């Protein structure tokens, strides 16, 4: 019988995203999520940035793609960020609207029929699907995919 990881603590570390143009992606992620740059590679052949919140590495951007995100390929479906309240989600929505981001749905939606959790679904400059949600406060928001999880079908 094979063993599994025995550590009592397991959590997601940072997430790395490939981008086509770090000059477009870096300001987007800093503005939307309030990230700070921990470290950055500016050599034209190796552009990258380590992005953090409160000193903790959350996201890395790697400029090594030559095409936009493909929803038809195996790999990342979407990247989700949890905030405390629906009001926080709405603040982020306002910033994204100022930036001209593309949204999958109009405004805050619930994660499913009768769900209290919900948020906004949008894409970054490379078309990477992103979500910002709150665990409660979306009880009266629409559920675009009915009983199926909203976050799975956008």
């Amino acid at each position: 019988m094979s063993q599994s990881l025995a550590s009592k603590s397991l959590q997601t570390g940072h997430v790395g995203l490939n981008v086509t143009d770090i000059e477009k992606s870096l300001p987007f992620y800093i503005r939307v999520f309030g990230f700070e740059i921990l470290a950055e590679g500016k050599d034209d052949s190796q552009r990258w940035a380590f992005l953090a919140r409160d000193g903790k590495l959350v996201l890395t951007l790697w400029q090594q793609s030559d095409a936009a995100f493909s929803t038809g390929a195996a790999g990342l479906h979407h990247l989700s960020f949890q905030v405390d309240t629906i009001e926080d989600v709405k603040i982020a929505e306002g910033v994204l609207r100022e930036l001209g981001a593309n949204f999958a749905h109009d405004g805050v939606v619930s994660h499913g029929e009768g769900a209290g959790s919900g948020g906004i679904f949008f894409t970054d400059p490379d078309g990477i699907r992103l979500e910002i949600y709150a665990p409660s406060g979306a009880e009266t928001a629409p559920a675009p995919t009915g009983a199926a999880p909203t976050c799975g079908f956008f």
Side-chain angles (χ1 to χ4, degrees):
M1 180 173 203
S2 65
Q3 291 183 313
S4 62
L5 184 62
S7 175
K8 291 182 181 187
S9 173
L10 180 66
Q11 57 186 322
T12 303
H14 72 275
V15 173
L17 297 177
N18 283 341
V19 299
T20 58
D21 184 350
I22 204 159
E23 295 299 326
K24 287 190 330 191
S25 296
L26 188 55
F28 176 87
Y29 281 94
I30 289 171
R31 176 82 170 93
V32 173
F33 297 100
F35 289 132
E36 60 197 53
I37 299 172
L38 281 183
E40 186 175 9
K42 295 185 178 187
D43 180 332
D44 284 341
S45 66
Q46 293 184 327
R47 298 291 312 271
W48 54 271
F50 288 174
L51 303 177
R53 285 286 300 259
D54 302 320
K56 181 181 177 195
L57 180 61
V58 176
L59 188 69
T60 59
L61 300 178
W62 306 97
Q63 183 176 293
Q64 42 187 9
S65 293
D66 57 8
F69 179 75
S70 172
T71 60
L76 179 73
H77 180 274
H78 75 285
L79 179 56
S80 177
F81 294 91
Q82 180 179 324
V83 296
D84 293 331
T85 67
I86 285 295
E87 289 73 28
D88 292 334
V89 173
K90 290 177 181 177
I91 290 169
E93 179 186 4
V95 170
L96 288 159
R97 292 203 185 279
E98 288 175 14
L99 294 172
N102 292 318
F103 288 84
H105 310 289
D106 187 27
V108 173
V109 296
S110 71
H111 279 138
E113 290 179 359
S117 63
I120 53 175
F121 299 86
F122 58 97
T123 58
D124 81 348
D126 282 305
I128 297 172
R129 296 185 292 195
L130 301 168
E131 170 188 11
I132 298 175
Y133 79 96
S136 62
E139 292 82 1
T140 60
T145 57
T150 301
C151 62
F153 298 95
F154 76 101

